[in-house]
Amino acid sequence: MFNVSIVRASASNAPISALVRQWFKTTFAEWGDIWFELFDNANVPVLIRPQYSIPLDQTWEAKPNLTLLGDAAHIMAPSGEGVNLAMLDALELSECLTNEHFKDTQTAIAAYETVMRERAAQEAATSFEMIEWMHAENAQGRIVEFFKGITA
């Protein structure tokens, strides 16, 4: 919705920053005035950055001398687990590469990638669920209840 609104509105001669502020004021009319004051007085440009995700069932053939780990291996919207996934990827890759059980490097990489892709798909699914409930009706109330549950 946001990108579509900006693209449609950008056909006018209004500066993008004015269009973004107007979009916020229209879309989030119920927000307190302090937020609009922030948008009106910000001295930095608003940059629209799309978020990408690889398909949850993404696979590829292991290469003998190349693999991916961290964000390069599992592109998804932020979920709060990115660095944890990257660290676990590095640990598991190192364990596979140093394990004498595998006959060669390609077999070790294939074993690492299989487990990594399964874990990444699960986290990406969780990320998609988080995005849906954070943008759903009554999202603010749901977030407050979520944090109340953590502190209880």
Side-chain angles (χ1 to χ4, degrees):
M1 180 168 103
F2 179 71
N3 290 335
V4 172
S5 299
I6 293 301
V7 170
R8 255 192 243 129
S10 66
S12 73
N13 291 330
I16 289 292
S17 58
L19 295 172
V20 170
R21 283 195 299 274
Q22 185 56 48
W23 178 83
F24 272 106
K25 288 180 180 182
T26 302
T27 304
F28 301 103
E30 72 280 2
W31 283 19
D33 290 337
I34 193 168
W35 292 106
F36 302 125
E37 183 179 339
L38 174 68
F39 299 140
D40 288 340
N41 293 300
N43 290 328
V44 295
V46 174
L47 301 175
I48 301 168
R49 305 255 189 226
Q51 294 181 346
Y52 299 100
S53 179
I54 62 172
L56 300 182
D57 59 352
Q58 177 75 41
T59 62
W60 56 84
E61 185 178 329
K63 304 293 180 199
N65 60 351
L66 178 73
T67 190
L68 299 171
L69 60 113
D71 288 350
H74 29 77
I75 301 167
M76 68 184 83
S79 66
E81 292 297 324
V83 74
N84 295 326
L85 291 173
M87 298 283 286
L88 188 53
D89 288 351
L91 174 66
E92 289 183 351
L93 177 59
S94 69
E95 288 176 342
C96 287
L97 291 173
T98 58
N99 187 328
E100 293 178 5
H101 170 77
F102 301 110
K103 65 179 182 175
D104 56 29
T105 304
Q106 186 170 1
T107 307
I109 289 173
Y112 151 74
E113 289 178 346
T114 299
V115 173
M116 177 272 297
R117 283 193 304 262
E118 290 172 11
R119 179 177 54 249
Q122 290 173 356
E123 188 56 41
T126 299
S127 173
F128 289 138
E129 289 171 15
M130 186 184 319
I131 289 170
E132 283 189 29
W133 73 259
M134 291 183 79
H135 292 89
E137 199 69 32
N138 190 28
Q140 183 179 10
R142 293 175 73 181
I143 292 170
V144 169
E145 290 304 313
F146 171 79
F147 283 109
K148 282 182 181 177
I150 290 175
T151 59

